[in-house]
Amino acid sequence: MAITTGLKVLEKEQSPSKTAKRPGQPSKLSPWDIVKVSRHSERPVFEDYIELISTGFMELHGDRYYADDRAIRGGFAHIDGHKVMLIGHNKGKNTNQNVERNFGMAKPEGYRKALRLMKLAQRFNLPVVTMIDTPGAFPGMEAEERGQAESIAKNITEMAGIEVPIISVVIGEGGSGGALGIGVGDRIVMLSNAIYSVISPEGCASILWRDAKYAPDAARALNLTAHALLKHDVIDAIIDEPGEGAHTNYKVIAEKVKKYISGQLKVLSNIPVEILLQERFEKYSAMGKFERLV
Amino acid sequence: MGWYSKEIGEKKQQKATLWIQCKGCKSHIWEQEWVKNLNVCPNCNYHGGITATHRANLLFDKNSFYELFADVSPVDSLGFKDLKGSYEDKITANKNKTGINEAVITGKGQIEGIPAVAAIMDFRFLGGSLGSGTGEKILQAANFAYDHNLPYIVFSASGGARMQEGVLSLMQMAKTCAGVARLNKKNIPFISVLTNPTTGGVTASYAMMGDLNISEPGAVIGFAGRRVIEQTIGEKLPDDFQTAEYLLEHGFIDAIVNRKDIKSYLGNVLSYYNR
């Protein structure tokens, strides 16, 4: 299904647009425009990347406690010759898909499934690749009842100690704790029009500006773009999107994502596990900016 | 006794009234009685807010608390401005208001004779939000506990991540949990005390990761905000939703303990720890 959508888009726009920016250059788009591109209805989703960057995806189901959350999928796969555990938020592209997948908003069972698969990866000595694309963890009554906070907290804590390399790619929306719940990696990379934020710009605006219509201002203030986050040392790299965004050329973006993952897997797989974990600890210990008063 | 006379003194200066209205039962309580009862309503047992310093005094044996990492202070690294002004100004205002540099105080001391490290959040400081400085102190205190093989206790009181620091604040969830993970690996006890309120990113990180999670009566504990959930499901939530009692029933906390009993409860727990 998704691949046909992808090909349709490919046919529509083969050549890069005239407004294409040079690689590595900050986008000409405003932060709010980037938010809109990150949520574009034809933007490639996890399912597309499964098809385009991996082969032999063998999906595994269920958290062993409650259910199989369709908002997060995962399983064994090959990426450019590397055997990996591939896990991602499962956004859809139309209403039917999104109803089934809850718009990529996972419940505790989704995070628990993801953790189960990461532990399985450790058992099989396979690196983990996670793909982040969620508006956030599902804010519903049953999610709270079953421990939404606990499931995310557990993943974040356990990921600090998973004894295989972890690469996290933010392919669309990095929505707060719901993103971080599968996002504690040795490498965090963002697509150039992806966003990563502590709160949605609309949510931030309605709290700090008392009105969601100030979302564009909040988007700017939150520094949620890939370029801002590279500058603030949160992410390791940016994968430049073709033309006016990943939705304009699935093939090109998929190839770039595959190349990045493959290259980093080569680097990370040569690091002894004790050093890998020590470096992961140091990476997250160094996150944030504060000062020490004299 | 330092905090005691100071607090009463401050309040007298601010407002001439000597009465406090309980947020739980709305009854008026003689301020001296309220403070003597540890900011807990003598009528309905509503547990009111309490400063981190006050808590440290309640928790640790007399003269045993030694503050660590007090010099860590927030910075406005994003230059964040909203309608009401800049984050930088808010930092200054909150420091002046509370007399502390971050939304948490950290240190070591003795609880009924047992040495322990604690991080105690203060809701007055920017709603107890988890910023980079907050995360740094909670991690450093965890590292101190790790290095000295001491049990670690965190008292949470927080609205969640600090929006004014963007993703830097979100990453504090991973940073603090990395510290908890190391304690887990070394089998050093980590006890989380969730107080009113503990929500959002703090609940979804260290606050839920205690080897024991305990709470005070009536504390609001949750991930998503009540209003957000009501909008999602389109109906009113039950009154006890996201309370300590609700979490106890659903298996996420070990016990609900009255403020006056927390010290002896923790002392009792720690007495089971064979170092």
Side-chain angles (χ1 to χ4, degrees):
Chain A
M1 284 293 285
I3 188 86
T4 47
T5 324
L7 290 172
K8 211 165 67 197
V9 175
L10 273 175
E11 284 159 19
K12 232 191 299 181
E13 202 155 338
Q14 270 295 357
S15 61
S17 133
K18 279 177 213 155
T19 56
K21 58 194 175 51
R22 292 199 309 279
Q25 291 296 302
S27 175
K28 289 192 183 82
L29 299 174
S30 72
W32 180 241
D33 287 334
I34 292 177
V35 170
K36 287 192 276 192
V37 175
S38 77
R39 296 171 178 170
H40 195 286
S41 62
E42 288 186 349
R43 190 173 176 83
V45 293
F46 180 48
E47 193 170 56
D48 299 313
Y49 289 102
I50 294 175
E51 298 284 347
L52 293 165
I53 72 166
S54 81
T55 53
F57 180 64
M58 184 193 276
E59 185 166 6
L60 301 166
H61 295 274
D63 71 342
R64 298 297 186 269
Y65 297 111
Y66 184 78
D68 182 46
D69 191 340
R70 303 304 298 149
I72 287 182
R73 292 175 73 193
F76 296 121
H78 280 83
I79 296 178
D80 206 19
H82 301 273
K83 287 174 276 185
V84 303
M85 179 63 77
L86 182 58
I87 300 167
H89 293 108
N90 189 31
K91 242 192 204 178
K93 285 196 195 137
N94 55 51
T95 312
N96 282 345
Q97 284 182 353
N98 271 322
V99 167
E100 188 228 339
R101 303 166 189 192
N102 203 23
F103 298 84
M105 294 188 288
K107 295 172 188 168
E109 47 272 27
Y111 293 105
R112 287 173 187 143
K113 171 167 75 175
L115 182 60
R116 183 175 81 81
L117 299 187
M118 287 187 254
K119 295 225 160 162
L120 188 62
Q122 180 174 288
R123 183 73 44 87
F124 278 63
N125 195 23
L126 293 175
V128 176
V129 175
T130 68
M131 296 204 150
I132 292 168
D133 190 12
T134 181
F138 184 61
M141 186 167 165
E142 74 274 31
E144 294 281 325
E145 204 169 18
R146 295 199 288 275
Q148 188 71 291
E150 191 274 345
S151 69
I152 292 170
K154 182 109 182 167
N155 281 23
I156 296 170
T157 307
E158 295 277 342
M159 285 180 89
I162 292 280
E163 294 169 0
V164 288
I166 304 173
I167 297 174
S168 294
V169 188
V170 187
I171 56 173
E173 275 185 281
S176 196
L180 191 64
I182 61 166
V184 184
D186 301 299
R187 296 287 184 274
I188 316 172
V189 59
M190 285 175 76
L191 269 52
S192 53
N193 290 312
I195 58 163
Y196 204 165
S197 187
V198 65
I199 183 169
S200 72
E202 292 90 339
C204 182
S206 68
I207 297 170
L208 293 181
W209 278 259
R210 308 255 160 205
D211 193 334
K213 76 167 191 247
Y214 291 98
D217 297 283
R220 190 174 297 281
L222 283 165
N223 281 254
L224 44 62
T225 66
H227 277 91
L229 293 172
L230 186 67
K231 196 179 97 189
H232 291 295
D233 304 317
V234 173
I235 62 169
D236 299 288
I238 297 172
I239 300 174
D240 266 305
E241 294 179 29
E244 286 170 342
H247 58 284
T248 61
N249 197 328
Y250 277 33
K251 222 175 177 174
V252 167
I253 191 62
E255 199 51 42
K256 285 185 173 187
V257 168
K258 182 160 91 176
K259 208 174 141 200
Y260 178 85
I261 293 171
S262 179
Q264 292 304 314
L265 285 176
K266 278 193 201 97
V267 175
L268 293 170
S269 63
N270 284 323
I271 302 175
V273 66
E274 307 80 51
I275 295 170
L276 185 78
L277 293 182
Q278 184 58 29
E279 284 179 353
R280 193 182 299 160
F281 178 71
E282 281 162 14
K283 178 184 178 69
Y284 288 91
S285 291
M287 290 272 186
K289 305 268 165 70
F290 56 90
E291 61 186 6
R292 300 201 88 134
L293 306 169
V294 260
Chain B
M1 286 303 279
W3 57 267
Y4 204 73
S5 47
K6 194 173 142 214
E7 277 223 324
I8 295 170
E10 274 173 2
K11 274 184 185 151
K12 262 185 188 163
Q13 274 179 357
Q14 279 166 11
K15 37 187 181 166
T17 173
L18 287 168
W19 295 92
I20 296 231
Q21 189 181 24
C22 170
K23 282 182 191 157
C25 63
K26 311 284 176 214
S27 63
H28 290 267
I29 293 126
W30 184 239
E31 185 173 12
Q32 230 166 329
E33 198 188 347
W34 175 263
V35 174
K36 202 173 125 196
N37 207 35
L38 317 174
N39 299 5
V40 174
C41 177
N43 298 331
C44 71
N45 201 32
Y46 174 83
H47 279 55
I50 182 169
T51 69
T53 318
H54 194 163
R55 249 191 217 290
N57 278 306
L58 292 178
L59 178 67
F60 288 105
D61 300 345
K62 207 175 172 189
N63 298 325
S64 77
F65 182 66
Y66 178 78
E67 193 172 353
L68 296 161
F69 320 115
D71 58 340
V72 174
S73 167
V75 284
D76 181 12
S77 56
L78 305 184
F80 194 101
K81 282 186 182 63
D82 59 40
L83 272 190
K84 281 198 266 172
S86 73
Y87 175 41
E88 195 173 8
D89 292 343
K90 277 184 194 159
I91 294 170
T92 311
N94 277 272
K95 281 185 183 181
N96 292 338
K97 183 177 79 179
T98 60
I100 51 177
N101 293 324
E102 249 297 355
V104 65
I105 64 167
T106 43
K108 63 164 183 171
Q110 299 210 338
I111 300 166
E112 301 199 328
I114 304 167
V117 179
I120 305 173
M121 300 190 79
D122 196 316
F123 192 75
R124 296 172 308 154
F125 195 102
L126 286 161
S129 56
L130 176 61
S132 299
T134 332
E136 176 70 12
K137 289 181 85 170
I138 289 168
L139 174 68
Q140 288 305 334
N143 290 348
F144 187 90
Y146 182 90
D147 292 339
H148 295 85
N149 291 310
L150 294 172
Y152 187 37
I153 302 166
V154 177
F155 283 77
S156 296
S158 173
R162 191 174 294 167
M163 282 180 285
Q164 293 87 346
E165 293 190 19
V167 167
L168 296 179
S169 81
L170 184 74
M171 290 298 153
Q172 302 310 305
M173 294 165 67
K175 175 170 164 171
T176 51
C177 283
V180 172
R182 283 213 316 163
L183 293 177
N184 290 347
K185 197 153 190 197
K186 208 175 174 184
N187 282 323
I188 294 174
F190 167 52
I191 300 169
S192 172
V193 186
L194 300 97
T195 74
N196 188 42
T198 299
T199 58
V202 168
T203 321
S205 57
Y206 53 89
M208 267 294 157
M209 280 295 100
D211 297 312
L212 269 82
N213 296 331
I214 69 165
S215 182
E216 289 182 339
V220 170
I221 303 162
F223 176 64
R226 195 183 175 89
R227 256 187 312 153
V228 177
I229 300 171
E230 286 181 340
Q231 278 164 15
T232 309
I233 61 172
E235 56 189 275
K236 279 261 171 226
L237 291 163
D239 283 345
D240 74 337
F241 185 66
Q242 292 183 330
T243 59
E245 291 73 15
Y246 179 91
L247 266 86
L248 182 71
E249 194 186 316
H250 286 84
F252 290 103
I253 58 177
D254 289 282
I256 297 171
V257 185
N258 283 316
R259 184 170 295 161
K260 65 177 170 56
D261 300 323
I262 284 189
K263 178 178 178 162
S264 63
Y265 184 92
L266 291 175
N268 197 5
V269 169
L270 294 179
S271 74
Y272 283 92
Y273 175 42
N274 286 322
R275 288 180 66 190

